[in-house]
Amino acid sequence: MSQRIVIVGAGQAGARTAAALRRLDDTAEITLLGEEQDLPYERPPLSKDILNGAAPSKATIFPHAWYEEHRIALRSGVRVAAFDSRTKRLSLGDGESLPYDDLVLATGVRPRLLDVPGATLDGVLTLRTIGDSTALSARLTAGARVVVIGGGFLGLEIAATAVARQCAVTVIESGSELLPRIFGGFLGRYLSDLHRENRVDVRTGATVAALEGHTAVEAVRLADGSLLAADVVVVAIGAVANDELARAAGAECADGVLVDAQARTSLPSVYAIGDVARQRVHRLGESVRVESWENAELQAQIVANTMTGTAPAADAAPWFWTDQYDRNIQMLGGREADDLIVMRGEAGAPSWCAFFVADGAIRGAVLVNAGRERRHVKRLIDTRQRIDCAEIGNAQRPLASLTAH
Ligand SMILES: Cc1cc2nc3c(=O)[nH]c(=O)nc-3n(C[C@H](O)[C@H](O)[C@H](O)COP(=O)(O)OP(=O)(O)OC[C@H]3O[C@@H](n4cnc5c(N)ncnc54)[C@H](O)[C@@H]3O)c2cc1C
């Protein structure tokens, strides 16, 4: 009998798992269950092009016909209420019961909500779904006063798009600087300058005490007593893992479903991937939950490999990107405090790179409007190739010529 594989969560990781599985196993019965009504889609455009007015279909991963052609039973608008790993059955929101042999949890995350008075006033929004993006987009009219709470990547992208729509934008960040954990604050300092140059009022070390208004939000009250007039408030203060299903079924969870490097949870035949998965990192004795496009792609492939007994892919440096104003910013690998910083071009220029170098090899890099270099930099990082700092810092010397073939 063919394997019955059920994937819960029809987002990026869920859809990519279905595709990877079908490539590896022609006979498996694959069911993809998703609470949202839309065809599975990617979320990055929601804070960029779609927020700026592009058609939501831009984010669709596969057209409707693709699921039929690949014999994937996509069921949209279906919420999974519970599962039992002993009987290997799922209960759907409408009471239907469904059997499985292998179960993949790809339930993602939801926005963390602000816990202050006035947080439910009209005009206070979050951004996670297509509906959220179009609702926010409709409010970004020229001259609107937009207060973004949270100076992470999402908040900053929303700020940049709101500026492009001619809104007056303030970003409130409770930390003393932006993105302190990303390359030791290197990128945060660059982005706070970039946003200020674009007339965004970036306020770090500021805490929101209340949102004020009658039925709709009219102002944001900060803890120091100051008041900011607001037509729209966007709350972008991080996300909470949708791990309740797994927790109720007895899987080990800690803001995310705990998994090993093969995406296996603590329950037999149950896997978790994407934003909801928290991977144990034995080397460090800790665990990490990564919310990124690349992680969703990679973990989809990993779980498909695990379920079909295919060899795992080699480890590679993590990659993340953000688009703000006219800058495409790509981040690869990481940085330790003692790493040497080698610049290729100046940070004020439209295009530049920074490399974080340790023991003669690149550990991580920031590429600004230099996406064409990503392939070469990735190779230098993944192979830990020894480099000459003067050569990688010389913008006249093509990086392609430095990678060992
Ligand atoms: C606005 C925005 C911009 C982003 N920009 C970038 C970027 O520039 N670069 C980058 O690398 N990453 C970016 N990301 C992150 C990236 O989009 C996510 O990491 C990725 O979407 C994770 O995919 P996922 O499948 O794990 O989760 P999701 O795409 O969230 O999918 C989870 C799905 O599961 C469904 N679900 C949950 N519970 C149930 C249930 N019980 N029953 C049925 N269905 C359920 C949800 O409704 C959802 O559709 C961005 C994210 C957002 C929100």
Side-chain angles (χ1 to χ4, degrees), residues 94-263:
D94 64 1
E96 185 184 336
S97 166
L98 211 64
Y100 69 83
D101 296 310
D102 282 311
L103 178 65
V104 180
L105 302 173
T107 47
V109 295
R110 58 182 179 275
R112 174 171 294 126
L113 300 178
L114 194 63
D115 186 17
V116 298
T120 57
L121 285 167
D122 184 41
V124 180
L125 306 177
T126 55
L127 177 52
R128 181 74 196 170
T129 64
I130 284 185
D132 294 341
S133 181
T134 50
L136 175 57
S137 180
R139 291 181 185 253
L140 298 182
T141 49
R145 293 159 303 179
V146 178
V147 176
V148 179
I149 302 176
F153 285 112
L154 181 59
L156 295 175
E157 287 189 352
I158 294 167
T161 306
V163 167
R165 302 282 295 271
Q166 278 143 34
C167 301
V169 184
T170 305
V171 172
I172 305 293
E173 166 57 45
S174 59
S176 57
E177 55 177 331
L178 299 181
L179 302 168
R181 290 195 306 274
I182 308 295
F183 299 118
F186 179 88
L187 199 57
R189 289 187 281 279
Y190 171 71
L191 287 175
S192 86
D193 289 347
L194 183 65
H195 279 271
R196 286 183 174 129
E197 277 163 27
N198 283 279
R199 294 205 296 275
V200 173
D201 181 1
V202 179
R203 300 199 183 188
T204 51
T207 321
V208 175
L211 304 182
E212 300 186 355
H214 295 289
T215 54
V217 71
E218 290 165 23
V220 176
R221 166 95 47 201
L222 299 182
D224 65 6
S226 54
L227 202 61
L228 298 168
D231 303 304
V232 187
V233 170
V234 192
V235 179
I237 55 172
V240 179
N242 292 326
D243 62 7
E244 290 79 3
L245 264 185
R247 221 171 328 128
E252 276 182 59
C253 294
D255 181 34
V257 188
L258 284 164
V259 295
D260 64 12
Q262 276 73 48

Side-chain angles (χ1 to χ4, degrees), residues 73-86:
L74 170 65
R75 295 179 61 183
S76 304
V78 171
R79 178 169 178 78
V80 174
F83 72 90
D84 185 330
S85 66
R86 284 159 306 217

Side-chain angles (χ1 to χ4, degrees), residues 9 13 35-36 43 48 80 107 128 275 292-293 320-321:
E35 195 178 6
E36 292 185 71
R43 297 184 196 270
K48 307 173 185 78
V80 174
T107 47
R128 181 74 196 170
D275 283 8
S292 82
W293 181 94
F320 188 84
W321 88 95

